[in-house]
Amino acid sequence: MQYGVEIAKEAYTEQARRLQTHGDDYAAAVERLRERGGRWGDDGLFAEIETAWIECRLAMLEAVPGIGGHIGGVSAGMRLVPQNVTAGEQASAMQDPAAWR
């Protein structure tokens, strides 16, 4: 009987790259929000909508960078998994018990 864990390391690494792309997209969205500013200069009919937009924009500028950072952190952790699995496979293949000390 054989015990173990199988992982498609290349596929896992590719998914980590894709996740990092999503994190980068969040960062780009924040930059676009910052560039746009918050005021439309309307003091008439759209003044209430403008006020709501400014509040929403500020909330997004606070929340989105954190989300993007967490996504990037998960991606970085995912990139470590294949490296750790490879290191574990190499260590388990060692025949010298003294190497485990």
Side-chain angles (χ1 to χ4, degrees), residues 49-73:
I49 295 172
E50 179 182 16
T51 301
W53 161 247
I54 292 169
E55 290 175 15
C56 289
R57 181 181 163 273
L58 290 174
M60 287 186 291
L61 285 172
E62 290 181 23
V64 172
I67 295 168
H70 285 294
I71 292 172

Side-chain angles (χ1 to χ4, degrees), residues 3 9-10 12 14 16 18 22 28 32 34 37 42 46 49 54 57 60 64 70 78 84 87 99:
Y3 298 95
K9 292 181 269 190
E10 296 81 17
Y12 208 83
E14 176 60 28
R18 294 177 79 190
H22 289 301
R32 287 191 300 272
R34 285 191 178 120
D42 190 319
F46 288 102
I49 295 172
I54 292 169
R57 181 181 163 273
M60 287 186 291
V64 172
H70 285 294
M78 287 177 67
N84 291 340

Side-chain angles (χ1 to χ4, degrees), residues 26-96:
Y26 273 86
V30 169
E31 288 307 312
R32 287 191 300 272
L33 278 173
R34 285 191 178 120
E35 291 169 1
R36 287 185 183 160
R39 298 256 175 230
W40 300 338
D42 190 319
D43 59 357
L45 179 62
F46 288 102
E48 290 298 317
I49 295 172
E50 179 182 16
T51 301
W53 161 247
I54 292 169
E55 290 175 15
C56 289
R57 181 181 163 273
L58 290 174
M60 287 186 291
L61 285 172
E62 290 181 23
V64 172
I67 295 168
H70 285 294
I71 292 172
V74 170
S75 173
M78 287 177 67
R79 285 192 300 273
L80 290 176
V81 171
Q83 296 170 13
N84 291 340
V85 169
T86 299
E89 290 170 346
Q90 291 171 349
S92 68
M94 292 179 171
Q95 299 298 319
D96 181 14

